[in-house]
């Protein structure tokens, strides 16, 4: 007599899919890899999530709610701008070099490139990254409005600088640069902000 199939835990499957997409990227994650990682048949994956793209979109939402949501969580704390930016950089390094997950940032590396058949996914991820950049610019603009930055400071340029730095940290972490070396970069990086502070 055949045993009953294992109970399907959708949340657990989603977390396993997150690690797989984070490690191999969107295009590099085949259905065979997902079947192996989730431990369920492809038919059950399609039944639960609809398609690889729909699964990936859920994975990204989960990532932004958990590991990848540090920028928004810091912003919500309403810290002084210098402290907020420092904390965002420190949290990025902690997240991107964590021993219990793939190195780097899922949002940066999973769709760094791709073919024409995944244009919709590439465009969607680009927009998510632009939104994160804008959230940092908004943080700096609000600080400017409160008088935390000098009158002639350029919040947009500073926001672009720190967003670019966050993406660079993700790549450096992915390439194996250790956390202490990345942390040593925070002080010189903040000099650009300190020069703009009132």
């Amino acid at each position: 007599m055949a045993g009953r199939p294992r109970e399907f835990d959708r949340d657990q499957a989603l977390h396993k899919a997150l690690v797989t997409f984070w490690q191999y990227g969107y295009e590099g994650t085949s259905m065979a890899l997902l079947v192996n990682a989730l431990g369920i048949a492809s038919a059950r994956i399609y039944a639960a999530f609809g398609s690889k793209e729909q699964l990936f979109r859920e994975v990204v939402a989960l990532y932004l709610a958990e590991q990848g949501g540090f920028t928004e969580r810091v912003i919500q704390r309403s810290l002084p701008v210098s402290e907020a930016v420092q904390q965002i950089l420190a949290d990025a390094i902690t997240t991107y070099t964590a021993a219990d997950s793939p190195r780097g940032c899922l949002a940066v590396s999973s769709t760094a490139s791709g073919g024409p058949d995944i244009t919709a996914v590439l465009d969607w991820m680009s927009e998510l990254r632009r939104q994160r950049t804008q959230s940092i610019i908004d943080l700096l603009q609000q600080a400017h409005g409160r008088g935390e930055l000098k009158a002639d400071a350029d919040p947009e340029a500073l926001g672009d600088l720190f967003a670019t730095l966050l993406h660079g940290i993700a790549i450096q972490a992915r390439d194996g640069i250790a956390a202490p070396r990345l942390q040593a970069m925070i002080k010189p990086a903040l000099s650009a902000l300190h020069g703009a502070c009132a």
Side-chain angles (χ1 to χ4, degrees), residues 8-16 49 62 66:
F8 175 65
D9 186 326
R10 195 177 192 280
D11 184 64
Q12 185 181 71
L14 200 55
H15 278 86
K16 289 179 178 179
F49 300 103
L62 176 64
E66 295 186 350

Side-chain angles (χ1 to χ4, degrees), residues 148-159:
E148 290 186 52
L149 300 180
K150 293 178 180 177
D152 62 351
D154 187 338
E156 185 173 61
L158 286 169

Side-chain angles (χ1 to χ4, degrees), residues 19-30 33 102 109-110 174:
V19 173
T20 306
F21 279 117
W22 195 346
Q23 183 171 359
Y24 297 105
Y26 181 76
E27 283 200 301
T29 298
S30 63
L33 276 174
S109 62
S110 63
R174 185 84 173 189

